[in-house]
Amino acid sequence: MRKPVIAGNWKMHHAPEDARRFFGAFRPSWSGAQPDILIFPAAISFAAAQAALPDHPRVQLGVQNIHPEPHGAFTGELSAPMARAAGATHALAGHSERRHLFGESDRDAAAKARAAADAGLVPVLCVGETLDERKAGRAGEVIVRQLDAALAVLTPEVDVMIAYEPVWAIGTGETATPSDASGAHGILRRRLAEAWGGERAARVRILYGGSVNPRNAARLLASPDIDGVLVGGASLDPDSFARIAEAARP
Ligand code: 13P
């Protein structure tokens, strides 16, 4: 059985002091099984978040973005080995904001996922269709294309997570229904099974992201195809994120 993951992507929010305050106040109370908790702080707040992290092996930190090269003259960038050395365990690759605001291609996202894996980080490959693609009935085709680019450079031995984040649901207050999200997750898992075999595909955790909040998290997480959530806005407040974490299915 796949263990639920509750992940928070802080994007360009929370300076170091805010990160410290967040962990000072983040006190989820679990009645059942505890999910894995991941936070992706801004790189400049990583060390502060790490210093304030609750002493629990299931609460881990990741980075929001890496450069595919391990080092070099790339002003403003950070590499996967650096993130690993700083204590990160996970790295987002191909977040829709990277794809759509910063022009990253499927190949760029795949290269970053590969670089993360090479450095011992778990890549969290983000995929998702735009509203136009959805309206044109192309959602499945788009997410499979994005996944395929990564599968071309990853091997089944790599520990990887996938986050299905439909672009139209990010920061809009419009959430995919559990059945919409499950449908997309099913498409992704079937594609993984074709590439890596059913047994390996069954172990990959597929998260849903896009306007997840304390009111809709339990409904989404109740679906057996939704292994966790990747939360933006509602992860910034420690109480709201704790309530989402508490909604994880046992
Ligand atoms: P929101 O939860 O703010 O819609 O953001 C989702 C997201 O992009 C997480 O990576």
Side-chain angles (χ1 to χ4, degrees):
M1 170 130 161
R2 297 181 293 270
K3 187 173 176 52
V5 188
I6 307 295
N9 173 10
W10 285 353
K11 307 188 181 185
M12 201 171 73
H13 298 286
H14 279 352
E17 187 49 38
D18 306 317
R20 270 191 287 275
R21 255 200 304 271
F22 176 93
F23 282 114
F26 178 62
R27 296 271 177 273
S29 62
W30 285 281
S31 45
Q34 206 172 309
D36 288 331
I37 305 273
L38 287 175
I39 293 280
F40 295 87
I44 205 150
S45 300
F46 188 93
Q50 192 175 42
L53 209 60
D55 186 19
H56 196 292
R58 295 231 180 84
V59 186
Q60 297 180 308
L61 295 178
V63 287
Q64 298 175 10
N65 183 38
I66 51 166
H67 191 278
E69 293 297 325
H71 45 76
F74 301 106
T75 300
E77 296 291 308
L78 62 92
S79 75
M82 286 174 184
R84 183 81 192 97
T89 52
H90 294 69
L92 299 181
H95 189 278
S96 81
E97 284 146 22
R98 301 298 319 172
R99 293 177 189 266
H100 296 287
L101 302 177
F102 299 99
E104 288 185 9
S105 66
D106 294 344
R107 276 180 63 147
D108 295 330
K112 291 179 178 202
R114 177 74 243 178
D118 285 345
L121 299 168
V122 177
V124 181
L125 177 76
C126 304
V127 300
E129 81 284 0
T130 63
L131 186 57
D132 283 349
E133 289 163 340
R134 181 178 185 79
K135 283 186 179 157
R138 295 182 45 230
E141 167 204 328
V142 168
I143 60 176
V144 165
R145 187 200 73 217
Q146 293 170 337
L147 176 60
D148 277 350
L151 290 174
V153 298
L154 297 176
T155 56
E157 296 73 44
V158 165
D159 192 4
V160 63
M161 287 184 197
I162 297 173
Y164 169 61
E165 297 204 304
V167 179
W168 49 270
I170 296 180
T172 58
E174 211 172 308
T175 321
T177 63
S179 92
D180 277 345
S182 296
H185 288 211
I187 290 170
L188 294 166
R189 200 174 304 283
R190 279 193 292 281
R191 185 73 194 119
L192 277 168
E194 282 167 15
W196 286 356
E199 193 266 332
R200 176 69 189 96
R203 283 189 283 116
V204 175
R205 291 185 284 183
I206 306 180
L207 283 50
Y208 166 78
S211 296
V212 175
N213 61 44
R215 291 175 305 286
N216 59 27
R219 218 157 18 94
L220 289 159
L221 288 161
S223 162
D225 295 315
I226 301 178
D227 304 317
V229 285
L230 180 54
V231 187
S235 73
L236 295 172
D237 176 74
D239 293 332
S240 139
F241 193 59
R243 275 156 56 215
I244 295 171
E246 288 160 5
R249 67 172 192 266

